[in-house]
Amino acid sequence: MLALTDNAATLVREMTDGPEVPDTAGLRITAAAGGFAVSATPRPEEGDRVVHQDGVVVYLDAEAADRLDEMTLDADVDASGDLRFELLPRRWSA
């Protein structure tokens, strides 16, 4: 299942945490032509797979879940203040 770096978890938490945001809010990743679409969402859609890590939730549609099974999501804010996500191969330790 998809893993998140500490940076990604922190930024997802900032996106989905607030007094008027439902407890079910999370980041949703869907398979799209040429890659993936990423958005904040108030709740999962039917059939989404759910990743819970470090107090945040990521929802994956079925195709994204299959394609991202052994990946790690990283995130940062670039010099212009835009949020940027990156997928990295998961590193396994012995």
Side-chain angles (χ1 to χ4, degrees), residues 17-47:
D17 192 23
E20 296 183 23
V21 178
D23 291 341
T24 56
L27 185 75
R28 186 157 194 270
I29 302 175
T30 57
F36 299 95
V38 179
S39 61
T41 185
R43 66 192 54 78
E45 293 190 16
E46 187 172 332

mmCIF file of all heavy atoms in Angstrom, residues 17-47:
data_model
loop_
_atom_site.group_PDB
_atom_site.id
_atom_site.type_symbol
_atom_site.label_atom_id
_atom_site.label_comp_id
_atom_site.label_asym_id
_atom_site.label_seq_id
_atom_site.Cartn_x
_atom_site.Cartn_y
_atom_site.Cartn_z
ATOM 1 N N ASP A 17 -7.205 19.620 7.608
ATOM 2 C CA ASP A 17 -7.505 19.844 9.007
ATOM 3 C C ASP A 17 -8.022 21.260 9.188
ATOM 4 O O ASP A 17 -7.433 22.210 8.690
ATOM 5 C CB ASP A 17 -6.235 19.638 9.853
ATOM 6 C CG ASP A 17 -6.524 19.569 11.335
ATOM 7 O OD1 ASP A 17 -7.666 19.243 11.702
ATOM 8 O OD2 ASP A 17 -5.611 19.852 12.129
ATOM 9 N N GLY A 18 -9.127 21.391 9.864
ATOM 10 C CA GLY A 18 -9.699 22.708 10.122
ATOM 11 C C GLY A 18 -11.014 22.565 10.840
ATOM 12 O O GLY A 18 -11.625 21.493 10.838
ATOM 13 N N PRO A 19 -11.470 23.637 11.463
ATOM 14 C CA PRO A 19 -12.691 23.551 12.264
ATOM 15 C C PRO A 19 -13.939 23.188 11.462
ATOM 16 O O PRO A 19 -14.851 22.579 11.991
ATOM 17 C CB PRO A 19 -12.810 24.935 12.895
ATOM 18 C CG PRO A 19 -11.938 25.825 12.092
ATOM 19 C CD PRO A 19 -10.888 24.964 11.465
ATOM 20 N N GLU A 20 -13.984 23.552 10.193
ATOM 21 C CA GLU A 20 -15.170 23.267 9.391
ATOM 22 C C GLU A 20 -14.972 22.101 8.428
ATOM 23 O O GLU A 20 -15.820 21.830 7.590
ATOM 24 C CB GLU A 20 -15.585 24.523 8.629
ATOM 25 C CG GLU A 20 -15.994 25.640 9.571
ATOM 26 C CD GLU A 20 -16.484 26.865 8.841
ATOM 27 O OE1 GLU A 20 -16.914 26.747 7.683
ATOM 28 O OE2 GLU A 20 -16.443 27.942 9.449
ATOM 29 N N VAL A 21 -13.861 21.415 8.566
ATOM 30 C CA VAL A 21 -13.551 20.283 7.692
ATOM 31 C C VAL A 21 -14.031 19.001 8.375
ATOM 32 O O VAL A 21 -13.728 18.778 9.546
ATOM 33 C CB VAL A 21 -12.027 20.215 7.415
ATOM 34 C CG1 VAL A 21 -11.687 19.015 6.559
ATOM 35 C CG2 VAL A 21 -11.556 21.499 6.761
ATOM 36 N N PRO A 22 -14.769 18.146 7.663
ATOM 37 C CA PRO A 22 -15.245 16.913 8.293
ATOM 38 C C PRO A 22 -14.099 15.982 8.694
ATOM 39 O O PRO A 22 -13.022 16.016 8.088
ATOM 40 C CB PRO A 22 -16.127 16.261 7.223
ATOM 41 C CG PRO A 22 -15.787 16.930 5.942
ATOM 42 C CD PRO A 22 -15.181 18.258 6.268
ATOM 43 N N ASP A 23 -14.343 15.159 9.704
ATOM 44 C CA ASP A 23 -13.338 14.206 10.169
ATOM 45 C C ASP A 23 -12.940 13.216 9.088
ATOM 46 O O ASP A 23 -11.874 12.606 9.169
ATOM 47 C CB ASP A 23 -13.851 13.432 11.387
ATOM 48 C CG ASP A 23 -13.969 14.324 12.610
ATOM 49 O OD1 ASP A 23 -13.341 15.405 12.647
ATOM 50 O OD2 ASP A 23 -14.695 13.934 13.538
ATOM 51 N N THR A 24 -13.782 13.048 8.093
ATOM 52 C CA THR A 24 -13.507 12.096 7.014
ATOM 53 C C THR A 24 -12.664 12.702 5.894
ATOM 54 O O THR A 24 -12.348 12.009 4.929
ATOM 55 C CB THR A 24 -14.827 11.587 6.408
ATOM 56 O OG1 THR A 24 -15.594 12.718 5.962
ATOM 57 C CG2 THR A 24 -15.619 10.762 7.405
ATOM 58 N N ALA A 25 -12.282 13.962 6.010
ATOM 59 C CA ALA A 25 -11.525 14.628 4.943
ATOM 60 C C ALA A 25 -10.164 13.975 4.753
ATOM 61 O O ALA A 25 -9.545 13.503 5.708
ATOM 62 C CB ALA A 25 -11.351 16.109 5.264
ATOM 63 N N GLY A 26 -9.722 13.942 3.509
ATOM 64 C CA GLY A 26 -8.424 13.369 3.203
ATOM 65 C C GLY A 26 -7.961 13.800 1.829
ATOM 66 O O GLY A 26 -8.600 14.608 1.156
ATOM 67 N N LEU A 27 -6.847 13.263 1.429
ATOM 68 C CA LEU A 27 -6.306 13.486 0.096
ATOM 69 C C LEU A 27 -6.800 12.350 -0.778
ATOM 70 O O LEU A 27 -6.772 11.187 -0.359
ATOM 71 C CB LEU A 27 -4.776 13.491 0.154
ATOM 72 C CG LEU A 27 -4.063 13.830 -1.144
ATOM 73 C CD1 LEU A 27 -4.178 15.336 -1.405
ATOM 74 C CD2 LEU A 27 -2.604 13.433 -1.067
ATOM 75 N N ARG A 28 -7.269 12.656 -1.995
ATOM 76 C CA ARG A 28 -7.728 11.601 -2.903
ATOM 77 C C ARG A 28 -6.832 11.586 -4.128
ATOM 78 O O ARG A 28 -6.559 12.627 -4.737
ATOM 79 C CB ARG A 28 -9.173 11.830 -3.320
ATOM 80 C CG ARG A 28 -9.720 10.674 -4.152
ATOM 81 C CD ARG A 28 -11.236 10.611 -4.101
ATOM 82 N NE ARG A 28 -11.671 9.324 -4.622
ATOM 83 C CZ ARG A 28 -11.955 9.093 -5.900
ATOM 84 N NH1 ARG A 28 -11.869 10.050 -6.788
ATOM 85 N NH2 ARG A 28 -12.339 7.887 -6.285
ATOM 86 N N ILE A 29 -6.368 10.381 -4.467
ATOM 87 C CA ILE A 29 -5.542 10.190 -5.649
ATOM 88 C C ILE A 29 -6.289 9.254 -6.589
ATOM 89 O O ILE A 29 -6.714 8.163 -6.186
ATOM 90 C CB ILE A 29 -4.169 9.587 -5.290
ATOM 91 C CG1 ILE A 29 -3.430 10.492 -4.290
ATOM 92 C CG2 ILE A 29 -3.342 9.372 -6.554
ATOM 93 C CD1 ILE A 29 -2.123 9.912 -3.780
ATOM 94 N N THR A 30 -6.444 9.711 -7.826
ATOM 95 C CA THR A 30 -7.116 8.897 -8.836
ATOM 96 C C THR A 30 -6.195 8.731 -10.039
ATOM 97 O O THR A 30 -5.391 9.608 -10.346
ATOM 98 C CB THR A 30 -8.431 9.560 -9.301
ATOM 99 O OG1 THR A 30 -8.148 10.860 -9.801
ATOM 100 C CG2 THR A 30 -9.429 9.652 -8.159
ATOM 101 N N ALA A 31 -6.322 7.600 -10.697
ATOM 102 C CA ALA A 31 -5.579 7.370 -11.935
ATOM 103 C C ALA A 31 -6.160 8.284 -13.003
ATOM 104 O O ALA A 31 -7.382 8.451 -13.103
ATOM 105 C CB ALA A 31 -5.685 5.917 -12.349
ATOM 106 N N ALA A 32 -5.277 8.919 -13.760
ATOM 107 C CA ALA A 32 -5.701 9.821 -14.829
ATOM 108 C C ALA A 32 -4.804 9.575 -16.037
ATOM 109 O O ALA A 32 -3.748 8.964 -15.910
ATOM 110 C CB ALA A 32 -5.582 11.274 -14.365
ATOM 111 N N ALA A 33 -5.226 10.062 -17.177
ATOM 112 C CA ALA A 33 -4.420 9.914 -18.389
ATOM 113 C C ALA A 33 -3.037 10.503 -18.153
ATOM 114 O O ALA A 33 -2.911 11.651 -17.751
ATOM 115 C CB ALA A 33 -5.107 10.600 -19.560
ATOM 116 N N GLY A 34 -2.019 9.694 -18.330
ATOM 117 C CA GLY A 34 -0.652 10.167 -18.189
ATOM 118 C C GLY A 34 -0.162 10.290 -16.764
ATOM 119 O O GLY A 34 0.918 10.815 -16.529
ATOM 120 N N GLY A 35 -0.924 9.850 -15.785
ATOM 121 C CA GLY A 35 -0.455 9.954 -14.400
ATOM 122 C C GLY A 35 -1.559 9.832 -13.382
ATOM 123 O O GLY A 35 -2.374 8.918 -13.447
ATOM 124 N N PHE A 36 -1.602 10.817 -12.484
ATOM 125 C CA PHE A 36 -2.563 10.779 -11.391
ATOM 126 C C PHE A 36 -3.128 12.168 -11.154
ATOM 127 O O PHE A 36 -2.474 13.169 -11.426
ATOM 128 C CB PHE A 36 -1.887 10.304 -10.097
ATOM 129 C CG PHE A 36 -1.330 8.921 -10.208
ATOM 130 C CD1 PHE A 36 -0.005 8.719 -10.540
ATOM 131 C CD2 PHE A 36 -2.138 7.814 -9.991
ATOM 132 C CE1 PHE A 36 0.516 7.448 -10.665
ATOM 133 C CE2 PHE A 36 -1.630 6.542 -10.124
ATOM 134 C CZ PHE A 36 -0.296 6.349 -10.457
ATOM 135 N N ALA A 37 -4.341 12.221 -10.623
ATOM 136 C CA ALA A 37 -4.951 13.472 -10.183
ATOM 137 C C ALA A 37 -5.001 13.437 -8.662
ATOM 138 O O ALA A 37 -5.325 12.405 -8.069
ATOM 139 C CB ALA A 37 -6.354 13.607 -10.760
ATOM 140 N N VAL A 38 -4.671 14.555 -8.037
ATOM 141 C CA VAL A 38 -4.605 14.655 -6.584
ATOM 142 C C VAL A 38 -5.483 15.817 -6.149
ATOM 143 O O VAL A 38 -5.399 16.914 -6.711
ATOM 144 C CB VAL A 38 -3.152 14.899 -6.113
ATOM 145 C CG1 VAL A 38 -3.081 15.037 -4.613
ATOM 146 C CG2 VAL A 38 -2.237 13.789 -6.600
ATOM 147 N N SER A 39 -6.336 15.576 -5.136
ATOM 148 C CA SER A 39 -7.197 16.643 -4.635
ATOM 149 C C SER A 39 -7.574 16.370 -3.187
ATOM 150 O O SER A 39 -7.565 15.216 -2.740
ATOM 151 C CB SER A 39 -8.464 16.760 -5.488
ATOM 152 O OG SER A 39 -9.198 15.549 -5.438
ATOM 153 N N ALA A 40 -7.912 17.420 -2.478
ATOM 154 C CA ALA A 40 -8.475 17.261 -1.136
ATOM 155 C C ALA A 40 -9.948 16.916 -1.306
ATOM 156 O O ALA A 40 -10.601 17.399 -2.233
ATOM 157 C CB ALA A 40 -8.310 18.546 -0.338
ATOM 158 N N THR A 41 -10.448 16.071 -0.432
ATOM 159 C CA THR A 41 -11.843 15.654 -0.537
ATOM 160 C C THR A 41 -12.452 15.524 0.856
ATOM 161 O O THR A 41 -11.750 15.167 1.810
ATOM 162 C CB THR A 41 -11.960 14.317 -1.302
ATOM 163 O OG1 THR A 41 -13.337 13.995 -1.495
ATOM 164 C CG2 THR A 41 -11.268 13.183 -0.576
ATOM 165 N N PRO A 42 -13.732 15.808 0.996
ATOM 166 C CA PRO A 42 -14.357 15.700 2.316
ATOM 167 C C PRO A 42 -14.608 14.261 2.759
ATOM 168 O O PRO A 42 -14.759 13.995 3.950
ATOM 169 C CB PRO A 42 -15.675 16.461 2.166
ATOM 170 C CG PRO A 42 -15.964 16.453 0.707
ATOM 171 C CD PRO A 42 -14.631 16.387 0.004
ATOM 172 N N ARG A 43 -14.613 13.334 1.795
ATOM 173 C CA ARG A 43 -14.908 11.931 2.140
ATOM 174 C C ARG A 43 -14.497 11.031 0.977
ATOM 175 O O ARG A 43 -14.332 11.522 -0.145
ATOM 176 C CB ARG A 43 -16.377 11.733 2.461
ATOM 177 C CG ARG A 43 -17.308 11.935 1.298
ATOM 178 C CD ARG A 43 -18.769 12.019 1.659
ATOM 179 N NE ARG A 43 -19.102 13.006 2.656
ATOM 180 C CZ ARG A 43 -19.219 14.317 2.442
ATOM 181 N NH1 ARG A 43 -19.028 14.797 1.246
ATOM 182 N NH2 ARG A 43 -19.537 15.140 3.403
ATOM 183 N N PRO A 44 -14.347 9.740 1.231
ATOM 184 C CA PRO A 44 -13.989 8.823 0.136
ATOM 185 C C PRO A 44 -15.178 8.614 -0.795
ATOM 186 O O PRO A 44 -16.324 8.877 -0.438
ATOM 187 C CB PRO A 44 -13.652 7.527 0.872
ATOM 188 C CG PRO A 44 -14.467 7.577 2.113
ATOM 189 C CD PRO A 44 -14.517 9.030 2.499
ATOM 190 N N GLU A 45 -14.861 8.147 -1.983
ATOM 191 C CA GLU A 45 -15.906 7.721 -2.906
ATOM 192 C C GLU A 45 -16.042 6.205 -2.796
ATOM 193 O O GLU A 45 -15.131 5.518 -2.328
ATOM 194 C CB GLU A 45 -15.562 8.150 -4.328
ATOM 195 C CG GLU A 45 -15.602 9.655 -4.483
ATOM 196 C CD GLU A 45 -15.501 10.108 -5.916
ATOM 197 O OE1 GLU A 45 -15.704 9.291 -6.845
ATOM 198 O OE2 GLU A 45 -15.212 11.303 -6.110
ATOM 199 N N GLU A 46 -17.173 5.698 -3.223
ATOM 200 C CA GLU A 46 -17.412 4.259 -3.151
ATOM 201 C C GLU A 46 -16.307 3.509 -3.884
ATOM 202 O O GLU A 46 -15.920 3.870 -4.997
ATOM 203 C CB GLU A 46 -18.763 3.916 -3.775
ATOM 204 C CG GLU A 46 -19.135 2.468 -3.590
ATOM 205 C CD GLU A 46 -20.555 2.177 -4.039
ATOM 206 O OE1 GLU A 46 -21.391 3.088 -3.998
ATOM 207 O OE2 GLU A 46 -20.796 1.025 -4.433
ATOM 208 N N GLY A 47 -15.750 2.497 -3.231
ATOM 209 C CA GLY A 47 -14.710 1.675 -3.828
ATOM 210 C C GLY A 47 -13.298 2.159 -3.553
ATOM 211 O O GLY A 47 -12.340 1.474 -3.891
#
